[in-house]
C-alpha cells in the first residue's frame, strides 16, 4: 500500500490542473450536500422554536388540580408541568402545560392510562378537556408517530439528496476520467513492470482519498457558507419580522449547523467519490498494458467522411467533429451533463413561474384585477343596540368607514354598496331576469369605468346609472333604454314594538330567524318581506364584453346578467332611500394600514371596534406567501447556481484537457500552415459541438415533459389548458431560459478555449511538437 | 538448458475482413544465457512477439513457457507478479514514471513487491549505468540516453529470468546506442542474463548470439551467429 500512496501523492502534485479541477468538482458536490443538510437543520430547528413559542406544550390539560399536577409530575415520561391558574375558578384549578420525554409508543394510549390513573374523570375521547400539540410532538420526536413522520421526512430528504448526488456523480466521474486518461499510459507501464490490477485501482482510489481530504472540508465549509448567505437573505428580506415581530425573530430564528448532518453529508460525498474512482480504476485495468501504453484499441473505427458541422463550416467543421468524437464516452458524458444542467435550470424557472402565478394572491374584481389590500373588514351586526350600528341602516357602511378614518390607522378605505332586483319592464327594454346594482367609490369608478364611458364620476352621481347588459352594440345604439324598473325585495326588520302593534294576519307574514350576517343564534330577528318597484334612470348602456373582467362569466338569470352601476356619492346623498331601512348586500370594507409600525394598535382597534370585525388579514397572508416565495426563490437560485457550476466545471475540464493533450498535434498543424485565427475558429466550432446538441436535447426533453404533463392532466380529467393558463406557462415557456443557458455555456466554453490556446501559443512550435505533458 | 519455449503462438487483431494476424503459429526455444536479436520489417510482428513473451499481451492461441512455467496459465494477478519478478521489459520510448525519480523508477518492481529495495544492488546498477549523480532526478530532467539507462536499470533490478528489449536504441543517437548495447552485452556476459532484443539495426543484431527473422508473423530465418 505504501507505493500506491506514494504514487498517488506524486500524481496529485504533478498534475496541478487536473488536481485542481477534480478538487473543485468534489468540493461542489460536497457543498451541495452540506447546503441541503444545513438548510434542513436550520429550518427544522427554527420551525421548532416558533412552534414552541406559540404553543409551549406537548399536552395541555384545561382543568387540573394542584394535587393531580403534583402526582403527574412524578411520572417518568413527563419532563415538566407548568400550571396557569384559571381565573375566578372556585375549585382553584389550573390549566397544565405538559412537556413530555421521548420514548412514548402511542400518545393516545399513554394519556388514556394517565387520565384513568389520576382520576381526571375523562378519557382520550373527551376532546374538550385536553389538547395534544401534534406539531411540537412531531418536532420533538415524542411518540412513534412523530418518529415515523420524521423518518419519512428524512427519507425524502435523502432521496432528494441522492438524486442530485447522482447528477453530481457525473461531474466527479468526468473529472476522474480525464485525470486517469492522462495517466493511462503510465498505468500500462506500471502493469507491464508488475503492478497488479488491485494496485492500480488502489493508486486511483488513494488519489481520490487525498483529494477528498482537501475538497470535502472545503466544500462543506462552502455549503455552510452558502446556507448562511441564504439565511441572511431571508432575515434581511424583513418578511419574518412582519410575521413574527422583530423581537421574536431575533429570539427564535437562528442559523443552525448540525455536525452530525454535516458528517453525513461529507461521508456521502466521500463515498460517492470513491465509487467514481473505483469505477474508473476498474475500466483502466480492463485494458491490456500494451493497449494502455500504445493508446491503441483493438477496435477498428470507421472514419466518418461527412458531418453536419463539416457541411456548415467546411474543413474546420470536419476537423472539429472528429476531434470531439475521439473520446466518444467522454463527449457523451459531458453532453449529458450539460443537457441535464440546462434542463434542470429551465425546469426550475418553470416551477418558479407556475408557483409565483399560483401564489399571486389578488382580487379578481368584476371590472378588473383589483389590488389586495391589507385588511378585509366586515360590518358587525348589533340588532338591538341601534346606538352603534344596525342592519337596518342603509348607511351602516359609511358610518363604519367614517369611524375607521377617524381612528387614524387606515388609508385607502374601499367599499361599495350592492343590491339586486328583478327586471319588471321587460317588454320595453328587452331585458329580463335579475339585475345587480353596484355603487362604486370615486377611485374604483375612475380606475375601471370612467375611461370606457367618458362619463365622469360627478356626472354619474348627478344623472343616474350605467346599464351593463349583454345586448349587442347595434341594439344598444338603435334601441336606447332610458330607465330600468326593478322589483326590489326587502327583508324588513321588525322591532318588538312594531310586532306588538301588528294584526294577526300581519304577524303571520313575520319570520323569526338568526342574524343574516353572523348567524348569531343569540341575536334572533323578526323580519317580514316587502316587495316594491323602483325606477332607475339610465345615463348610458354598455355591452358587458367592453367592461366586464374577461375572467368573470356572466350568465342569464343570475344577478350578474344585467348590472347597474352608479356612485357611492349618489347612494349616500339620495338613493339609499330606495332601500328603506335595509343595509345593502355588501358589508365588506377593505383598507390598508397607514403605518406598518402601528399594526398591533390597528388590530387592537379592530378587535375593540363596534362597527367592524376582521374578516381576512391579507397583509399577514401576503407576507406568509411572500416569505414562502422568497425562500423557494432563494433555494431555487442557489440550486441553479450549483447546477450551472457543475456543468461549467465539467465542460471546462473536458475542453481544456482535450486541447492540452493535442498540443503537439496542434503545433504540427500550425507548422503545416494553420493560422491562429483558423485554430481559434476550429476550437470555437468544437465548443458549438457541445452546446448546440445540448440545447436541442434540452428543448426536446422540456417539450416532451410539458406535453407529457398536459396529457397526464387530461388523463386525470383536469382541464390542462386552463391549468397552464392559470400557472402562466405554456410549451414554449422553457425556450428563452434554454437559450440563455446555452449562450452562457457557449461563452464559458469559448472563454476557456481561448485562454488555453493563448497560453499554449507562448511556447515555440518545435517545443510544443516534441512535448508530452 | 531451455529457458524460454514458444509453442504455436498466434495473435490476431480485429475480426472478419479487418482481421490482422500479427503472429502466425510461431514456435521456438531460447536457452538460458543467450542474447537473441529479433529482426524483420515494420509490421512483421516483432513487438507483438515480445509483448506476448513478456506477459503484457495475451496470445490468441499457443503457449509460452518460461523456465518450465506456462505463463498464460496464471490469472491476471499472478501474471503481474510474474512480470515483476521474472521479466524485465525495456521499451523504445523508455516509459518511465514521470513522477518518480531515477532511483525510484529503478526500484519500482521491488517496491511493488512490498520489499525493501536491495541498496547494494541499487548502487551496483547505478554505477554500472553511470547515473549515480542523477539518481534523484525526474525523467524530465534526464537526457534520452540517461532515461534509457534508467529503464535498463529497472529491467535488471530484480535479476529477472529474461530481459525483453523492444528497440532499446531506436530513440538514441549512435553513441548512446552503442553504450546501451554494451550494457546489455555486459549484463549478458557477467550475469548470464538471457536477452531478447528487437532491432532494426544490423550491427546490433550481429552482436547477438542468434538472429531470428520474422516476416508477416512467421519466423522466416533462425540463425546462430556463433559469437559467444
Amino acid at each position: 500500500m505504501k507505493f500506491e500512496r506514494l504514487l498517488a501523492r506524486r500524481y496529485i502534485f504533478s498534475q496541478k490542473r487536473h488536481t485542481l479541477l477534480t478538487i473543485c468538482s468534489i468540493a461542489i458536490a460536497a457543498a451541495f450536500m452540506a447546503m441541503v443538510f444545513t438548510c434542513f437543520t436550520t429550518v427544522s430547528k427554527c420551525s421548532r422554536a416558533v412552534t414552541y413559542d406559540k404553543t409551549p406544550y406537548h399536552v395541555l390539560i384545561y382543568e387540573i388540580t394542584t394535587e393531580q399536577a403534583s402526582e403527574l409530575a412524578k411520572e417518568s415520561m413527563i419532563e415538566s408541568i407548568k400550571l396557569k391558574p384559571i381565573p375566578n375558578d372556585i375549585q382553584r384549578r389550573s390549566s397544565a402545560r405538559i412537556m413530555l420525554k421521548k420514548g412514548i409508543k402511542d400518545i393516545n394510549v399513554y394519556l388514556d392510562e394517565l387520565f384513568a390513573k389520576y382520576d381526571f374523570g375523562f378519557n382520550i375521547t373527551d376532546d374538550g378537556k385536553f389538547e395534544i400539540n401534534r406539531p411540537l410532538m412531531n418536532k420533538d420526536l415524542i411518540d412513534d408517530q412523530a418518529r415515523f413522520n420524521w423518518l419519512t421526512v428524512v427519507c425524502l430528504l435523502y432521496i432528494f439528496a441522492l438524486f442530485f448526488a447522482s447528477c453530481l456523480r457525473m461531474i466527479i466521474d468526468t473529472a476522474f476520467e480525464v485525470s486517469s486518461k492522462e495517466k493511462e499510459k503510465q498505468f500500462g507501464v506500471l502493469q507491464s513492470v508488475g503492478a497488479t490490477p488491485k494496485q492500480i485501482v488502489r493508486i486511483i482510489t488513494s488519489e481520490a482519498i487525498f483529494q477528498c481530504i482537501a475538497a470535502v472540508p472545503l466544500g462543506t465549509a462552502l455549503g455552510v457558507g452558502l446556507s448562511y448567505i441564504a439565511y441572511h437573505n431571508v432575515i434581511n428580506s424583513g418578511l419574518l419580522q412582519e410575521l413574527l415581530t422583530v423581537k421574536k425573530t431575533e429570539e427564535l430564528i437562528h442559523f443552525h449547523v448540525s455536525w452530525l448532518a454535516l458528517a453525513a453529508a461529507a461521508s456521502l460525498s466521500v463515498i460517492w467519490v470513491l465509487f467514481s474512482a473505483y469505477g474508473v480504476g476498474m475500466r483502466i485495468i480492463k485494458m491490456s498494458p500494451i493497449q494502455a501504453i500504445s493508446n491503441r484499441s483493438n477496435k477498428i473505427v470507421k472514419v466518418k467522411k461527412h458531418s453536419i458541422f463539416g457541411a456548415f463550416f467546411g474543413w474546420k467543421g470536419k476537423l472539429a467533429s472528429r476531434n470531439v468524437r475521439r473520446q466518444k464516452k467522454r463527449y457523451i458524458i459531458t453532453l449529458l451533463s450539460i443537457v441535464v444542467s440546462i434542463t434542470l435550470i429551465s425546469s426550475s424557472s418553470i416551477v418558479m413561474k407556475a408557483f409565483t402565478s399560483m401564489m399571486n394572491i389578488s382580487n379578481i374584481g368584476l371590472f378588473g384585477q383589483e389590488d389586495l389590500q391589507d385588511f378585509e373588514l366586515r360590518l358587525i351586526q348589533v340588532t338591538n343596540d341601534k346606538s352603534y350600528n344596525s342592519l337596518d341602516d342603509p348607511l351602516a357602511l359609511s358610518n363604519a368607514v367614517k369611524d375607521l378614518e377617524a381612528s387614524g390607522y387606515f388609508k385607502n378605505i374601499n367599499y361599495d354598496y350592492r343590491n339586486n332586483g328583478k327586471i319588471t319592464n321587460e317588454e320595453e327594454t328587452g331585458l329580463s331576469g335579475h339585475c345587480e346594482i353596484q355603487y362604486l367609490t370615486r377611485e374604483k369608478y375612475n380606475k375601471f369605468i370612467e375611461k370606457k364611458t367618458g362619463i365622469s364620476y360627478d356626472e354619474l352621481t348627478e344623472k343616474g346609472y350605467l346599464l351593463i347588459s349583454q345586448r349587442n352594440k347595434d341594439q344598444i345604439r338603435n334601441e336606447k333604454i332610458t330607465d330600468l324598473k326593478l322589483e326590489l325585495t326587502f327583508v324588513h326588520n321588525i322591532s318588538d314594538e312594531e310586532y306588538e302593534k301588528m294584526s294577526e294576519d300581519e304577524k303571520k307574514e313575520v319570520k323569526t330567524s338568526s342574524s343574516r350576517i353572523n348567524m348569531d343564534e343569540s341575536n334572533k330577528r323578526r323580519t317580514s318581506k316587502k316587495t316594491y318597484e323602483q325606477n332607475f334612470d339610465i345615463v348610458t348602456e354598455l355591452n358587458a364584453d367592453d367592461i366586464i373582467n374577461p375572467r368573470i362569466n356572466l350568465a342569464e338569470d343570475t344577478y350578474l346578467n344585467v348590472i347597474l352601476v352608479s356612485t357611492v356619492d349618489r347612494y349616500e346623498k339620495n338613493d339609499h332611500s330606495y332601500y328603506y331601512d335595509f343595509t345593502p348586500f355588501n358589508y365588506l370594507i377593505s383598507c390598508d394600514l397607514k403605518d406598518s409600525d402601528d399594526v398591533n394598535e390597528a388590530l387592537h382597534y379592530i378587535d375593540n371596534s363596534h362597527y367592524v370585525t376582521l374578516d381576512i388579514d391579507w397583509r399577514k397572508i401576503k407576507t406568509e406567501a411572500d416569505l414562502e416565495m422568497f425562500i423557494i426563490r432563494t433555494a431555487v437560485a442557489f440550486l441553479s447556481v450549483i447546477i450551472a457550476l457543475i456543468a461549467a466545471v465539467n465542460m471546462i475540464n473536458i475542453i481544456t484537457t482535450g486541447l492540452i493533450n493535442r498540443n503537439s498535434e496542434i503545433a504540427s498543424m500550425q507548422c503545416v500552415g494553420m493560422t491562429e485565427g483558423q485554430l481559434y475558429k476550429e476550437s470555437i466550432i468544437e465548443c458549438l459541438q457541445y452546446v448546440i446538441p445540448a440545447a436541442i436535447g434540452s428543448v426536446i426533453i422540456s417539450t416532451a415533459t410539458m406535453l407529457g404533463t398536459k396529457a397526464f392532466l387530461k388523463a386525470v380529467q383536469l382541464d390542462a389548458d386552463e391549468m397552464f393558463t392559470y400557472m402562466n406557462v405554456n410549451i414554449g415557456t422553457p425556450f428563452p431560459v434554454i437559450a440563455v443557458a446555452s449562450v452562457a455555456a457557449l461563452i464559458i466554453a469559448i472563454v476557456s478555449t481561448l485562454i488555453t490556446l493563448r497560453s499554449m501559443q507562448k511556447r515555440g512550435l518545435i517545443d510544443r511538437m516534441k512535448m508530452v505533458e | 538448458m531451455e529457458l524460454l519455449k514458444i509453442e504455436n503462438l498466434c495473435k490476431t487483431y480485429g475480426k472478419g475482413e479487418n482481421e490482422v494476424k500479427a503472429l502466425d503459429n510461431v514456435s521456438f526455444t531460447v536457452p538460458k544465457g543467450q542474447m537473441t536479436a529479433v529482426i524483420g520489417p515494420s509490421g512483421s510482428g516483432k513487438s507483438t512477439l515480445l509483448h506476448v513473451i513478456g506477459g503484457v499481451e495475451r496470445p490468441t492461441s499457443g503457449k509460452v513457457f518460461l523456465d518450465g512455467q506456462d505463463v498464460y496459465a496464471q490469472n491476471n494477478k499472478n501474471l503481474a507478479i510474474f512480470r515483476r519478478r521474472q521479466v524485465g521489459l525495456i521499451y523504445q520510448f523508455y516509459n518511465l514514471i514521470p513522477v518518480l525519480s531515477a532511483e525510484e523508477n529503478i526500484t519500482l518492481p521491488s517496491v511493488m513487491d512490498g520489499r525493501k529495495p536491495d541498496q547494494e544492488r541499487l548502487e551496483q546498477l547505478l554505477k554500472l549505468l553511470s547515473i549515480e549523480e542523477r539518481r534523484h532526478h525526474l525523467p524530465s530532467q534526464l537526457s534520452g540516453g540517461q532515461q534509457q539507462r534508467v529503464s535498463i536499470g529497472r529491467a535488471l533490478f530484480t535479476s529477472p529470468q529474461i530481459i525483453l528489449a523492444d528497440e532499446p536504441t531506436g530513440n538514441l543517437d549512435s553513441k548512446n546506442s552503442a553504450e546501451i548495447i554494451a550494457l546489455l552485452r555486459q549484463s549478458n556476459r557477467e550475469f548470464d542474463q538471457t536477452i531478447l532484443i528487437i532491432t532494426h539495426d544490423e550491427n546490433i543484431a550481429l552482436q547477438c548470439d542468434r538472429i531470428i527473422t520474422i516476416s508477416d508473423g512467421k519466423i522466416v530465418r533462425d540463425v546462430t551467429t556463433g559469437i559467444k
Side-chain angles (χ1 to χ4, degrees), chain A residues 3 10 189 191-192 194 199, chain B residues 83-84 95 99 104 111-112:
Chain A
F3 111 89
R10 295 283 178 93
V189 170
Q191 283 190 84
S192 73
Q199 284 174 319
Chain B
R83 287 196 294 268
R84 192 188 294 172
N95 286 336
V99 296
E104 285 166 338
V111 167
M112 281 182 195

Side-chain angles (χ1 to χ4, degrees), chain B:
Chain B
M1 187 187 112
E2 200 178 81
L3 178 70
L4 177 67
K5 186 177 175 188
I6 310 295
E7 269 182 13
N8 303 318
L9 207 59
C10 288
K11 177 69 185 177
T12 50
Y13 297 103
K15 281 176 188 174
E17 55 182 45
N18 295 320
E19 191 181 87
V20 172
K21 248 188 181 167
L23 293 174
D24 189 1
N25 234 5
V26 171
S27 301
F28 65 93
T29 59
V30 175
K32 185 167 165 48
Q34 189 177 72
M35 188 162 166
T36 308
V38 176
I39 63 173
S42 289
S44 58
K46 309 186 294 296
S47 295
T48 309
L49 175 65
L50 211 78
H51 296 150
V52 170
I53 294 170
V56 286
E57 189 140 37
R58 280 188 183 268
T60 310
S61 63
K63 289 199 188 292
V64 177
F65 294 93
L66 190 70
D67 202 13
Q69 187 188 11
D70 184 349
V71 171
Y72 288 101
Q74 303 170 98
N75 60 26
N76 280 344
K77 183 183 171 183
N78 290 333
L79 197 57
I81 295 169
F82 160 81
R83 287 196 294 268
R84 192 188 294 172
R85 294 175 187 168
Q86 312 293 345
V87 177
L89 275 159
I90 303 168
Y91 297 96
Q92 182 180 358
F93 290 102
Y94 332 129
N95 286 336
L96 300 176
I97 306 301
V99 296
L100 298 177
S101 66
E103 185 178 291
E104 285 166 338
N105 266 289
I106 291 170
T107 58
L108 191 57
S110 189
V111 167
M112 281 182 195
D113 240 0
R115 291 183 282 128
K116 207 174 167 187
D118 183 346
Q119 287 299 320
E120 210 183 301
R121 175 74 175 149
L122 175 63
E123 295 304 326
Q124 187 187 33
L125 279 173
L126 287 171
K127 197 174 174 187
L128 178 70
L129 299 165
S130 307
I131 50 171
E132 285 159 291
E133 285 164 11
R134 297 290 197 176
R135 63 199 293 167
H136 298 299
H137 284 67
L138 293 174
S140 57
Q141 295 162 329
L142 303 172
S143 69
Q146 287 166 338
Q147 286 187 58
Q148 195 61 296
R149 287 164 198 271
V150 172
S151 177
I152 293 169
R154 183 177 67 191
L156 290 173
F157 188 72
T158 55
S159 305
Q161 300 260 32
I162 189 167
I163 299 284
L164 304 169
D166 186 354
E167 305 252 23
T169 60
N171 221 29
L172 301 174
D173 56 57
S174 54
K175 182 170 179 269
N176 275 309
S177 294
E179 284 173 8
I180 293 300
I181 295 301
L183 275 168
L184 289 172
R185 200 83 189 115
Q186 187 180 358
S187 173
N188 170 247
R189 285 194 183 123
E190 276 184 33
F191 307 113
D192 206 27
Q193 186 75 67
T194 310
I195 300 177
L196 206 67
I197 301 182
I198 291 173
T199 183
H200 276 123
D201 193 329
E202 259 184 26
N203 293 327
I204 293 170
L206 287 170
Q207 291 180 56
C208 298
D209 306 323
R210 178 182 174 186
I211 302 172
I212 294 174
T213 309
I214 287 187
S215 182
D216 292 330
K218 292 186 171 76
I219 294 178
V220 296
R221 207 156 64 143
D222 187 347
V223 172
T224 308
T225 59
I227 286 180
K228 203 164 190 176

Side-chain angles (χ1 to χ4, degrees), chain A residues 448-582:
Chain A
F448 291 115
I449 312 277
E450 194 203 1
K451 281 176 193 149
K452 291 178 184 171
T453 62
I455 298 172
S456 71
Y457 182 85
D458 292 323
E459 201 181 328
L460 194 64
T461 302
E462 194 192 332
K463 290 182 179 172
Y465 293 79
L466 290 174
L467 171 62
I468 301 168
S469 73
Q470 296 189 66
R471 296 198 315 159
N472 64 46
K473 285 173 186 169
D474 286 331
Q475 282 176 304
I476 290 172
R477 196 175 34 250
N478 298 330
E479 300 159 15
K480 283 195 187 311
I481 298 175
T482 54
D483 59 67
L484 195 68
K485 286 188 175 54
L486 299 179
E487 185 183 86
L488 303 175
T489 303
F490 294 99
V491 176
H492 175 68
N493 282 316
I494 295 168
S495 65
D496 293 339
E497 295 97 9
E498 280 174 306
Y499 186 72
E500 289 310 313
K501 288 176 189 169
M502 278 180 172
S503 65
E504 287 307 313
D505 285 337
E506 283 173 333
K507 278 182 183 174
K508 280 178 191 169
E509 297 297 317
V510 172
K511 281 187 183 166
T512 306
S513 60
S514 305
S515 149
R516 187 165 58 80
I517 293 177
N518 58 19
M519 303 303 287
D520 185 352
E521 284 290 324
S522 63
N523 249 334
K524 285 201 187 287
R525 302 165 52 212
R526 284 201 192 90
T527 57
S528 70
K529 239 186 212 179
K530 269 191 182 167
T531 305
Y532 72 95
E533 202 175 70
Q534 178 63 48
N535 193 62
F536 292 83
D537 296 325
I538 305 302
V539 177
T540 190
E541 185 181 349
L542 295 164
N543 178 267
D545 291 339
D546 291 338
I547 202 147
I548 299 296
N549 187 349
R551 290 174 80 174
I552 302 283
N553 287 322
L554 299 186
E556 284 187 21
D557 209 32
T558 69
Y559 299 119
L560 291 179
N561 177 31
V562 176
I563 302 165
L564 283 178
V565 172
S566 190
T567 66
V568 161
D569 282 3
R570 184 177 174 88
Y571 177 88
E572 286 178 357
K573 278 177 192 165
N574 184 66
D575 286 8
H576 65 269
S577 61
Y578 292 179
Y579 309 97
Y580 292 93
D581 53 359
F582 185 73

Side-chain angles (χ1 to χ4, degrees), chain A residues 129-145:
Chain A
K129 302 291 184 186
F130 67 96
E131 184 190 317
I132 296 175
N133 185 3
R134 178 44 67 186
L136 190 64
M137 284 194 49
N138 281 347
K139 286 172 176 49
D140 289 346
L141 307 180
I142 296 299
D143 63 348
D144 280 356
Q145 187 186 336

Side-chain angles (χ1 to χ4, degrees), chain A residues 612-773:
Chain A
V612 294
T613 183
L614 182 64
D615 200 41
I616 303 175
D617 185 349
W618 286 117
R619 187 195 56 89
K620 190 174 175 191
I621 292 172
K622 271 196 294 180
T623 307
E624 283 172 352
D626 284 345
L627 180 64
E628 278 178 36
M629 280 308 300
F630 187 83
I631 290 171
I632 291 167
R633 243 189 233 116
T634 306
V636 168
F638 275 96
L639 200 65
S640 300
V641 164
I642 288 189
I643 292 167
L645 268 174
I646 288 167
V649 169
N650 224 15
M651 201 170 49
I652 291 169
N653 198 2
I654 297 293
I655 288 172
T656 54
T657 306
L659 282 172
I660 289 169
N661 282 352
R662 288 183 285 135
N663 199 355
S664 168
E665 187 183 307
I666 292 170
S668 305
M669 286 197 293
Q670 285 181 284
C671 279
V672 167
M674 191 184 206
T675 63
E676 264 187 41
Q678 287 172 326
L679 174 62
Y680 289 151
K681 276 180 197 159
E682 189 267 335
S683 304
I684 289 169
I685 296 167
E686 283 184 32
C687 298
L688 288 172
Q689 297 243 354
Y690 285 101
V691 172
I692 292 176
I696 292 170
S698 304
V699 164
I700 291 170
I701 293 173
S702 300
T703 307
T705 309
M706 298 294 270
L707 288 171
T709 309
K710 262 196 165 177
F712 172 73
L713 289 171
K714 277 179 184 153
V716 296
Q717 316 261 328
L718 288 171
D719 189 335
D721 291 327
E722 193 185 318
M723 286 199 76
F724 270 43
T725 309
Y726 177 56
M727 289 189 284
N728 204 17
V729 296
N730 56 55
I731 293 193
T733 304
F735 297 163
V737 178
I738 291 173
V740 169
S742 303
V743 167
L746 184 63
I747 291 170
I748 292 169
I750 290 174
V751 166
S752 53
T753 298
L754 293 179
I755 290 172
T756 310
L757 283 175
R758 279 205 94 85
S759 78
M760 276 161 56
Q761 302 296 308
K762 286 178 187 167
R763 290 185 76 148
L765 284 176
I766 299 299
D767 280 343
R768 282 166 56 202
M769 277 205 293
K770 287 182 187 172
M771 217 172 100
V772 175
E773 186 173 78

Side-chain angles (χ1 to χ4, degrees), chain A residues 168-372:
Chain A
L168 295 171
R169 173 123 182 231
M170 248 192 276
I171 177 179
I172 299 173
D173 269 358
T174 310
F176 277 114
E177 267 287 337
V178 168
S179 164
S180 299
K181 196 74 188 164
E182 301 299 293
K183 298 193 285 287
E184 221 168 63
K185 187 176 173 181
Q186 293 171 43
F187 290 139
V189 170
L190 284 167
Q191 283 190 84
S192 73
V193 168
T196 62
K198 217 176 183 179
Q199 284 174 319
I200 299 295
V201 173
R202 272 202 213 123
I203 292 169
I204 298 172
T205 50
S206 298
E207 223 184 305
I209 290 169
F210 287 133
Q211 285 162 342
C212 279
I213 289 171
V216 171
L218 182 70
T220 304
L222 179 67
V224 171
L226 287 172
S227 303
Y228 183 75
I229 292 170
Y231 158 82
H232 217 251
N233 273 352
V234 172
I235 297 290
N236 284 348
S237 71
L239 295 165
L240 278 171
Q241 287 83 342
E242 290 252 6
L243 283 173
L244 299 171
T245 78
V246 172
K247 192 180 170 210
K248 287 262 184 234
T249 306
E250 279 171 11
E251 274 173 23
L252 303 172
I253 308 299
H254 300 290
F255 184 67
H256 290 276
V257 174
S258 162
W259 298 112
L260 189 65
L262 285 182
S267 309
L268 203 60
S269 306
V270 170
I271 289 167
W272 229 237
V273 168
L274 288 175
F275 266 128
S276 276
Y278 184 76
V280 167
M282 292 308 290
R283 182 194 65 75
I284 282 174
I285 58 173
K286 275 182 189 162
M287 283 192 291
S288 73
I290 285 303
Q291 276 181 321
I293 291 168
S294 59
N295 195 21
R296 191 186 63 205
S297 168
N298 286 347
K299 280 186 202 168
I300 310 290
V301 176
K302 274 190 180 168
V303 173
K304 262 176 90 175
K305 283 188 181 166
H306 305 289
S307 68
I308 297 172
F309 279 85
F312 278 104
F313 297 105
W315 68 268
K316 289 192 276 299
K318 204 191 259 187
L319 191 62
S321 268
R322 297 218 188 142
N323 280 334
V324 146
R325 276 157 187 77
R326 274 180 180 187
Q327 302 286 344
K328 220 172 184 180
K329 192 182 170 192
R330 203 194 292 181
Y331 172 67
I332 289 169
I333 288 176
T334 309
L335 200 58
L336 275 175
S337 83
I338 302 171
V339 168
V340 166
S341 306
I342 294 176
T343 308
L344 279 174
I345 289 173
S346 75
S347 303
S348 314
S349 78
I350 291 174
V351 166
M352 278 311 306
K353 199 170 180 190
F355 222 74
T356 308
S357 295
M358 285 158 66
M359 296 286 276
N360 203 8
I361 305 169
S362 62
N363 214 4
I364 303 169
L366 184 63
F367 301 110
Q369 203 86 352
E370 295 173 27
D371 293 329
L372 265 182

